[in-house]
Amino acid sequence: MNPPVAEGMFGHPVSCCAAVRSGLAMGSRGDGVWQRVRRLIERPGTENVLRYRRVVAAAGERADVLRALSDDELTAAAERLRTTPDRPFDRDEFAEVCALGREAARRTLGETPFDVQLIGVVALLNGYVVEMATGEGKTLTGALAAAGFALQGRRVHVVSVNDYLARRDAEWMRDLYAMLGVSVGWVDQQADWADRRAAYTCDVTYVSVSEVGFDVLRDRLRTDPAEVVLPAPDVVIVDEADSVMVDEATVPLVLAGDVDRGRNEITFARLVRELTTGEHYEVDGDRRNVFLTDAGIDLVQHRLGGVDLYTDTHAELLTKVQLALHARALLHRDVDYLVRDGKVQLINVARGRVALLQRWPDGLQAAVEAKEGLAASPTGEVLDSILVQALIGRYRTVCGMSGTAVAVADQLAEFYRLKTGRVPMNVPCVRDDEPDRMYATMAQKQAAIVEYVRTVHETGRPVLLGTLSVAESELIAGMLAEAGIDGVVLNAKNDAEEAGIIARAGEFGRVTISTQMAGRGTDIRLGSVDGAGRERVAELGGLCVVGSGHYHTSRLDDQLRGRSGRQGDPGSSVFFTSMEDDVLVHLPDARRRVEAGEDGRVRSARARRAMAHAQRVAEGVHLEIHRDTWRYHNLINIQREVVLDHRHQVLTGDEAPRRLRELCSERYELLLETAGAEALSDTARAIVLYHLDRCWSEHLAYLADVREGIHLRALGRETPIDEFHRIAVAEFSEFLPEAYRRSAETFDRVEITDDGADLEALGLKRPTSTWTYLINDNPFGTPEERFRDFLGGIVRDGQSKLGMPS
Ligand code: ADP
């Protein structure tokens, strides 16, 4: 697949792209033809953002006038543009905000936004996800759009992939915003309540996806409206939009409390430690699935007290055994996780680095901890959770930017009803993307990579080697060291450090070995960071990017390539692949019958096509999983909205005393007399909020359990999702009645003294501490994936459990 960065606006070769770009200055000439051609060749879901070039041209005409203004006059001009959300900008005002933004950027950052950047700004202001190649200056584009929204009276969150980038970008753009009279703040993990509150009251707030998600969750549990930190969601500009909105869309952000109700996953973890591979369980050739053998089933059933695991009633037990076995057999230390300071730290597969905030679901986490002989980390109770997709979906206006968005335009349309458009490059890309070099075995591939890096390095050209995993980075770094090449290995460090190292990857003679996403968001300049030595490196051919294999989506490949060749720099990229690569898991047949040369090199076109096909299959599998997961969560979301709505009425109104008066009139009158109306209302409110939150947490836990076992329950009857809906809707119909039944019970027993009511004495304890995390359920997939694997195992074993034909 061709990398979009090497193409023009509509996937044309670069020469054609130049023609389109010159159209920037041509005004409307040839529009009709273009419109028709565009419809023929655009990807579904993409739209032409070049139509905004006229707005940008109009901004250009204002440049001289604005240049003559003093700084204060410029700020005053921006102030005059301010409007309210009910009267959004017209075309002239869009042009004026671009012109003001350009002039302010020139004065405060010393960078004059290019026309293409301003096209991006107008597209963002019109609710697009824009694709702009790496190095085209998305940070500035996003900031000008944020200022444009703010001047229309909107409140903007610029959402980034990590805390480091949120802070860096807010500080970088601070003076620009100041000159436009727009206030800006940022939030990171360390921010306390007051910092957050202050940052969120700014016109524009930079924040990572996880932090804003955690704030949403915490706000939902407030018992005092004055403690809420987030204003109503309005505009979000999502940086690295495809990564956040597609790749991480189904990652749940979780708020848990320390109500430890005791869990027995540890038992299962211990149980599977007794099992031996070959005898009790078998692992698939591709090491993605693990199955109990008959002997294994017998042993487990015996240990569990003689149950029959394969009956409906024991679906839950079976799931837990499967989880524990997955932890035991399929999760590998240093590949999937590290053990550090007595803790299990996950390695995020997509980013190939330690994901500090992440943990697996409790069962698996406990299983891995038990496997490593570590103390079990505290298990809490999930108080609430939200998927990244639902988090983004809360905003009234969503837009975003990315180096690779067009490839997922249809998904952005499907899941977010968003339009996507590609902004052409300022300077055409001249990077040389070489065809893959394919090898029969992994070992031959690695040897070839080392040899290739050695020859390039001899010339002094900087090399950036992108690997698929932390373990692989270390392996190849070791091999390079043996060949006398000292590379800088970059993984599992913190974001700020990574950024510093990646920024230097373009220096003469430098070899940087990094997992795909390490140092994301950081620009690699040729020569040193301050630009010295640029010519020397450019003459050698610029940055040489080497990929050690294809990722599960071509977008990640393209992002790696995009590290080289920014703003017309010379550069090259090449991927080394092997017939043993992971991505071929999806196409096992492709591994057979490959003809290789003596050095292991595979030159067959068929093998090459198989590799590309496998990647598309992988992308399709991810999409299906995304759809499945979303279907389940969407229903829960709808129910959550109902509960939140009601909770809001309780929190801010007199719903609680009103309802309790109906339910317990005698008690109500008595307390009214003894305690007075205000104390009574406060107590009623606190009681109802407590029970609403408790019931919600229980409802979530119940639905999570149902979902884990839904495929087994639904087997042979309805489709799992329908069955899930049926159960969830039935259960939810009892939600409010149950919450009020419990509230009435408490209300009947509560005493109100001068100090208020002591609810703790009645057993109404809110968690004393809460913590937040992201769940990573990639290692063995969602319940749907696991079920597919599980069925696959049964069919493969030739067994006919659960009445399935073998
Ligand atoms: P991206 O996120 O699109 O890869 P960045 O926002 O990190 O790009 O910007 C890349 C580099 O380009 C930064 O060093 C930035 O200062 C510079 N830059 C952005 N816009 C301009 C401009 N209009 N003129 C000159 N330099 C620019």
Side-chain angles (χ1 to χ4, degrees), residues 109-114 117 132-141 168-169 172-173 239 426 521-523 525 566-567:
L109 305 173
E111 289 172 0
T112 306
F114 306 117
Q117 280 174 301
M132 293 173 71
T134 316
E136 290 289 299
K138 285 186 279 295
T139 316
L140 176 54
T141 304
R168 182 200 74 175
D169 293 352
W172 181 5
M173 298 293 144
D239 195 9
N426 184 48
T522 304
D523 201 29
R525 290 177 182 241
R566 61 177 287 283
Q567 290 285 345

Side-chain angles (χ1 to χ4, degrees), residues 576-592:
F576 286 74
T577 58
S578 92
M579 299 313 286
E580 290 176 350
D581 283 2
D582 261 3
V583 66
L584 285 177
V585 156
H586 296 283
L587 221 60
D589 283 350
R591 292 198 163 133
R592 297 189 198 120

